[in-house]
Amino acid sequence: MTITKPLTLYSTMSRKKETFKPIKEGKVGMYVCGVTVYDYCHIGHGRTFVAFDVIRRWLMERGNEVTFVRNVTDVDDKIIRRAAEKGISTKELTDFYTKAMQEDMESLGCLPPTYEPHATDFIPQMLGIIGKLVDKGYAYVGGDGDVDYAVRKFPAYGKLSGKSIDDLQSGARIDVAEGKRDPLDFVLWKKAKPGEPQWESRWGAGRPGWHIECSAMSCHYLGENFDIHGGGPDLIFPHHENEVAQSEAANGKKFANYWMHSGPLRVRSADGTEEKMSKSLHNFWTIRDALKETDEQFGAGNGAEVLRFFLLRTQYRSPISFNPDLIVDAHKGLTRLYEALQGREGDGKPLDWNEPNAAAFADAMDDDFNTPVAVAQLFSLATEVNRTGDPALVRQLKGLGAVLNILQKDPAVFLKGATEGLDEAEIRRLIDERAAAKKARNFARADEIRDELLAKGITLLDKAEGTVWRRA
């Protein structure tokens, strides 16, 4: 069944919720800015990409064919510096961290992008846009040989971020070595420096600035006007603001119809205040380290789903406060949902969006992808499943979980968690002995067995279907 009710989303450009209407009915073009591949991804990146993975999945659930583009920035000052520090080529560096990024996104349950363009493969397209801007008078060759965008030539500059040119001017200063005509102008093409990656252009050898790459790649795959452009909150200004300016000046049409940004992931600093997680602040926790630690804590293979569930419990554009207690709480919540599924089978029917819990779930997702309210429906279902054991409700719980890409493991495997060092056959033998003791009304022995297993980190759950166990 295809969901036909209206979907509303919050657009950064209009600063309000809007009814989503794709350019072509049933087809959605979506571009989300990827990472600069010079280091491992951190949980802040994971927050952004899980958010847009859920958005994409819900658009698909509503019957849309989604073309999802996520770029890879593989030429950049940070990349050049890091490669030099390691004594390797920029390609060796970016190939390594691109693969690591892809593995991290897969671990967190994100679908692979439809297209994953690398900036260095789109130099001709970038030069084409820069040429348009120079020919139209929006860009110029500065005194240092760089090609710069003349911000004041684009009267609507600041419409995405809400920043005015006058406010920006008051806080700007000009570096005489840059050769810009105005301190607000930004670079489109950097003149080549010795030892750096470079390509030929009509302005001489050089490499692209950061902002131009996304305009080139998004337009190549999705057209000069497409549906959704997204990314992390730190990209609104200047990156996305500059994308709007250069794309609309070059092509003479609206760039993206809807702009969506995830909220920041914040961590507590040494002085007790909260700040965003970022590499520049040296306060980040890599996805790899997070997965290793959560796997050790909650069981091998479980950490990724716990982290994903932790991220889903906050609406995508709200800030998340990151601390270990919240991760533990997410594990407890996920455990409760899996316990409702353990030992139970659904009725084999497809998910029906007319069923009350499914309809409430859909209403939440249609209201700007409100995952906390959608997740609340999962807990309501779990309560009813535990009360009634109704196979129709079991099917709904697992089916709605699938929309968010959770609850798809064998519940027994998830609930047992880390089994390293545990003899499952011995645990099963003790459970059987306990059942026999209870049948013989030897409750003292039954309690002894429960306590013995609990001391080993094993919790027993007595259900109508029998006794099951999991790691405490």
Side-chain angles (χ1 to χ4, degrees):
M1 170 186 165
T2 301
I3 302 165
T4 57
K5 291 183 292 185
L7 164 68
T8 62
L9 58 80
Y10 182 89
S11 178
T12 309
M13 182 71 79
S14 66
R15 295 166 186 77
K16 64 181 181 181
K17 289 183 184 179
E18 300 182 28
T19 299
F20 176 66
K21 295 180 180 178
I23 296 168
K24 294 181 179 179
E25 187 67 31
K27 295 183 183 294
V28 178
M30 188 173 178
Y31 184 93
V32 176
C33 286
V35 298
T36 302
V37 284
Y38 70 98
D39 204 344
Y40 289 114
C41 291
H42 58 65
I43 293 295
H45 294 128
R47 194 282 158 94
T48 295
F49 295 127
V50 167
F52 283 100
D53 179 67
V54 169
I55 290 168
R56 175 189 184 183
R57 287 174 184 271
W58 185 244
L59 290 169
M60 292 166 61
E61 191 67 37
R62 289 178 56 89
N64 295 291
E65 178 186 332
V66 180
T67 301
F68 186 90
V69 184
R70 185 184 69 211
N71 73 295
V72 174
T73 296
D74 60 347
V75 57
D76 174 86
D77 290 339
K78 298 184 186 76
I79 290 171
I80 293 168
R81 285 196 299 269
R82 183 63 57 86
E85 290 168 5
K86 290 180 174 289
I88 59 177
S89 70
T90 55
K91 188 174 189 312
E92 287 177 282
L93 182 86
T94 57
D95 283 352
F96 178 86
Y97 285 115
T98 298
K99 184 173 184 292
M101 177 271 295
Q102 292 166 339
E103 291 169 349
D104 289 343
M105 294 307 112
E106 182 180 1
S107 294
L108 289 176
C110 297
L111 293 167
T114 313
Y115 300 104
E116 192 172 49
H118 289 54
T120 54
D121 292 331
F122 283 79
I123 303 298
Q125 290 87 342
M126 296 181 210
L127 291 173
I129 296 175
I130 296 170
K132 284 184 182 180
L133 293 170
V134 170
D135 295 343
K136 289 184 173 185
Y138 286 98
Y140 60 90
V141 180
D144 55 2
D146 290 351
V147 181
D148 297 314
Y149 184 94
V151 166
R152 292 183 186 276
K153 294 282 188 178
F154 188 71
Y157 191 82
K159 65 180 179 178
L160 177 65
S161 62
K163 298 178 182 291
S164 72
I165 287 181
D166 289 338
D167 289 341
L168 292 169
Q169 176 65 47
S170 66
R173 68 176 183 84
I174 191 163
D175 185 340
V176 293
E178 289 182 348
K180 294 179 181 177
R181 295 177 184 172
D182 188 299
L184 300 183
D185 296 347
F186 59 88
V187 66
L188 298 168
W189 186 255
K190 295 186 176 185
K191 184 179 179 181
K193 294 179 181 178
E196 291 187 350
Q198 55 187 267
W199 292 263
E200 288 299 324
S201 77
R202 70 192 241 200
W203 308 283
R207 61 184 174 90
W210 175 35
H211 311 298
I212 194 66
E213 65 176 67
C214 287
S215 290
M217 290 183 280
S218 60
C219 290
H220 175 82
Y221 286 107
L222 303 175
E224 294 174 353
N225 169 239
F226 57 93
D227 296 303
I228 297 173
H229 196 315
D234 54 328
L235 298 181
I236 297 173
F237 186 86
H239 184 51
H240 288 166
E241 192 71 72
N242 291 349
E243 278 190 64
V244 172
Q246 65 201 12
S247 301
E248 296 190 356
N251 300 322
K253 61 182 69 172
K254 188 176 184 178
F255 184 34
N257 286 354
Y258 304 90
W259 286 86
M260 302 181 70
H261 294 89
S262 59
L265 189 144
R266 301 190 179 280
V267 292
R268 192 170 296 279
S269 61
D271 62 4
T273 60
E274 287 193 345
E275 56 190 4
K276 73 171 184 176
M277 181 179 288
S278 75
K279 292 177 180 175
S280 62
L281 295 174
H282 306 289
N283 65 354
F284 67 94
W285 196 25
T286 67
I287 292 172
R288 298 195 158 211
D289 286 344
L291 290 173
K292 181 176 182 293
E293 189 163 323
T294 50
D295 270 358
E296 290 173 353
Q297 188 173 8
F298 307 125
N302 286 346
E305 188 169 1
V306 172
L307 288 173
R308 184 177 176 93
F309 189 63
F310 159 72
L311 297 171
L312 292 175
R313 295 179 82 178
T314 300
Q315 203 261 359
Y316 78 93
R317 59 187 175 90
S318 297
I320 294 182
S321 179
F322 182 81
N323 68 63
D325 290 342
L326 293 178
I327 302 296
V328 172
D329 188 59
H331 176 255
K332 289 178 180 177
L334 199 56
T335 296
R336 179 182 161 195
L337 297 177
Y338 267 116
E339 285 175 347
L341 292 172
Q342 188 175 24
R344 296 184 170 113
E345 296 292 334
D347 60 11
K349 296 179 181 179
L351 190 60
D352 183 352
W353 290 106
N354 290 314
E355 292 169 313
N357 284 290
F361 181 101
D363 286 344
M365 294 300 289
D366 282 337
D367 182 15
D368 196 25
F369 311 95
N370 198 333
T371 53
V373 176
V375 166
Q377 293 304 313
L378 302 185
F379 285 112
S380 295
L381 270 170
T383 298
E384 287 301 302
V385 167
N386 286 328
R387 186 177 66 83
T388 67
D390 185 346
L393 298 178
V394 173
R395 181 249 307 159
Q396 289 179 52
L397 177 55
K398 189 161 186 176
L400 293 175
V403 175
L404 302 175
N405 198 22
I406 58 173
L407 303 180
Q408 301 309 294
K409 292 183 178 180
D410 180 341
V413 173
F414 178 89
L415 294 170
K416 287 177 183 178
T419 58
E420 187 176 348
L422 297 176
D423 185 337
E424 293 194 48
E426 175 63 11
I427 294 170
R428 190 71 254 170
R429 186 191 70 76
L430 287 169
I431 289 175
D432 291 342
E433 182 183 341
R434 176 173 173 268
K438 289 175 69 176
K439 187 174 182 179
R441 305 189 66 79
N442 186 354
F443 298 114
R445 177 54 184 156
D447 289 344
E448 283 178 6
I449 293 172
R450 176 185 287 275
D451 292 343
E452 179 183 339
L453 288 171
L454 187 60
K456 295 179 180 180
I458 304 299
T459 296
L460 299 183
L461 300 172
D462 293 320
K463 296 189 170 188
E465 300 83 3
T467 299
V468 295
W469 68 273
R470 62 178 173 86
R471 286 294 293 246

